[in-house]
Amino acid sequence: MNPMLPEPWRVKVVEPIRLPPADERDRWLREGGFNLFRIPSEAVFIDLFTDSGTSAMSDSQWAGMMMGDESYAGSRNYFHLADAVREVFGFTRFLPVHQGRGAEHLLFAGLVTSPGMIVPSNMHFDTTRAHVVTQGGVAVDLPIPEALVAGSQHPFKGNIDLARLTRLFEETPAGRIPVAMLTLTNNAGGGQPVSLENIRAMSALCKARGVPFYVDACRFAENAWFIKQREPGQGARSVRDIARDIFDATDGCTMSAKKDGLANIGGFIASRDPSLVDRLAQPLLLYEGFPTYGGLAGRDLEAIARGLREVVDEEYLRFRVGQVEAFGNALLERGIPIVRPPGGHAIYIDARAFLPHIPAVSFPAQALACAIYREGGVRPSEVGTSMHGAFDPETNEPIPAPLDLVRLAVPRRVYTQAHLDYVVRVVAAVWERRHDIKGLRWVHAEGALRHFTARFGEVD
Ligand SMILES: *Cc1c(COP(=O)(O)O)cnc(C)c1O
């Protein structure tokens, strides 16, 4: 491994964290129904639940917060954000929203206009899928086969399967595919990047069919960094240029600023189609707010504008992606089965390989996530049968997802190497006693986004 430079920042403000004693952790787990969504954050020592909205902001962003212009219409911070969106993404038309799913709501409500319309993607994120389905559409995942092989070392496991996409286009009547998506990086598939070649090829296919091509841009900067590191011919180019190339190939994007916006809240939808932006401004007014604030305070708009420029800084990205990679390598050295190569924002443990004695219907990933919390107060999240599985409408029994993963998401600029070393020791301790871990079953499960609120019990 290359010697890693330390964090490219120094600490100016600290937030105390505490490890609750073991009996307390056990009690929280039982009271929370073995669902880590239902545990208060004060009961968590190292919170790797998500990288979403958990970034530490820079001194520049905090200074920008003080410059918030809270005018209802035409806040100066809106214009700062418009400048950043044009500079980093190349889009001149956009609408701010309260977070990424606000953008998904507008896009799919605007484009999925009749039941059964198909929206293909490399892999839909859970809120993306839920919004497509809520509009009566069908969300189709077309990952390359390597994406489903946890041990595969393909450099761009986030790629969409172009042959299957071509077939879908051929088999589907014109007009039944209102939009095609590409998630950068592929969160549900392990935080894996998509190559520029794949993005451009998909763009060409969509153009030929007249299908609008949108990117779910949550982690666009991390994806661009991987392209620079891994794609032939891209190594000498800047992340900013690569990012522009990505978006030049698209018709628009949805963005959660809670990820690569380095902000705690916010997002936007951008489009090259001015009539669509005008049309979406109506539901925006109804559900989010006036088009120059979109459900956000002026200070939030400013934090995002500054965050979007900071996130394409290459020293930041070198550390960011390097920290996650070193974390993954440390787990691999202990023999822990993770999705390889490590993703950009998280390490994903292959729970079926970790707990082969627990069948997929007994939620091995949920069980492993709970065991990691119980062991050391570390909170991972489940990305498996609870989040992405289905259920039998007759019996309400779970139908397993293709993969059962435990995600250790690394918040941006929050934890040091020492924190992640501790997490490695915790996961290694769970690995040592993995045979004692029990499966789970639903005690209460309701709705399409049931993983947020479900309660589980241990299977004896
Ligand atoms: C987080 C996320 C979203 C939704 O964004 P929110 O800000 O959480 O609403 C959509 N797509 C992907 C890939 C995400 O990671």
Side-chain angles (χ1 to χ4, degrees), residues 50-52 98-102 104 123-128 183-188 216-219 254-259 265-267 345 407:
T50 178
D51 64 318
S52 177
H98 76 284
Q99 61 182 88
R101 67 199 69 184
E104 293 168 350
M123 211 180 270
H124 290 277
F125 182 65
D126 58 345
T127 58
T128 320
T183 313
L184 309 183
T185 54
N186 181 4
N187 186 5
D216 177 339
C218 294
R219 297 175 184 81
T254 55
M255 173 72 187
S256 169
K258 299 175 71 173
K259 285 69 173 244
I265 197 72
H345 66 290
R407 187 180 76 168

